[in-house]
Amino acid sequence: MKSKLIITSIILAFILSNCTYPKYLPKRDNIGVSEYGSYIKVKRTAGKKIRGELLVIDTTGINVLTNSHSKNKVVFIPIKEIRRFKLKYAKPSAYWWTIPVYSLASIGHGAFLIFSLPINLAVTVTTTTNSNSVYNYNDLTYKELKMFARFPQGIPQNIDISDIE
């Protein structure tokens, strides 16, 4: 019994740890009107991953606003150094609460708990996990990726890229 509780806790902790999103990502109703760029994770051919807000993309590379150690910094990544990327453009709907609620509701099934609890867990965990990947892209072209940048037409001349927050 103790090992099942530990395994369930680990699964819940894993699920909840993947449920955090940058605050600047818009909710589903505000897609297309947010002034910020999308969240992007870039895996490079060499070096560490870069995560942050997609600012601008041109023919030579992309600029990403990162937040490391509570300090914003713009990082330029040449296109030839990009192995792949993953983009999130909105916050998904939160269904994490269904896991404990439906698990507790299984108690009302009495002896059929041994059948209903695993089914409820499977359905709610699957729904929660799938809802997290609804607003993601990882197969866009660089031309399509421009639409998700804060400055899709390039940095305006009156803005210094190092001043962007």
Side-chain angles (χ1 to χ4, degrees), residues 32-123:
V33 295
S34 173
E35 68 265 19
Y36 297 103
S38 297
Y39 177 77
I40 190 166
K41 277 192 226 178
V42 179
K43 186 166 186 172
R44 300 163 62 178
T45 54
K48 63 181 181 178
K49 291 180 188 173
I50 304 290
R51 299 174 183 170
E53 180 188 349
L54 178 61
L55 290 179
V56 65
I57 180 169
D58 61 19
T59 56
T60 59
I62 64 174
N63 284 302
V64 177
L65 181 63
T66 63
N67 186 342
S68 61
H69 308 294
S70 299
K71 190 173 184 180
N72 289 338
K73 179 180 165 189
V74 177
V75 177
F76 177 76
I77 308 167
I79 286 183
K80 63 183 177 187
E81 290 184 14
I82 298 173
R83 180 178 293 166
R84 65 176 178 252
F85 61 84
K86 186 174 182 179
L87 187 84
K88 292 181 182 182
Y89 62 95
K91 291 179 185 174
S93 300
Y95 295 111
W96 62 268
W97 60 270
T98 60
I99 297 171
V101 169
Y102 281 88
S103 297
L104 288 174
S106 299
I107 294 172
H109 298 153
F112 293 107
L113 168 77
I114 58 173
F115 300 111
S116 64
L117 180 61
I119 292 170
N120 281 338
L121 278 174
V123 170

Side-chain angles (χ1 to χ4, degrees), residues 1-55:
M1 183 68 183
K2 193 174 183 178
S3 64
K4 289 181 182 178
L5 182 62
I6 291 171
I7 291 171
T8 304
S9 299
I10 290 171
I11 290 171
L12 285 175
F14 176 75
I15 291 169
L16 293 177
S17 70
N18 288 325
C19 296
T20 59
Y21 295 94
K23 292 180 181 177
Y24 60 83
L25 282 181
K27 292 183 178 177
R28 180 179 58 181
D29 299 336
N30 294 329
I31 294 174
V33 295
S34 173
E35 68 265 19
Y36 297 103
S38 297
Y39 177 77
I40 190 166
K41 277 192 226 178
V42 179
K43 186 166 186 172
R44 300 163 62 178
T45 54
K48 63 181 181 178
K49 291 180 188 173
I50 304 290
R51 299 174 183 170
E53 180 188 349
L54 178 61
L55 290 179

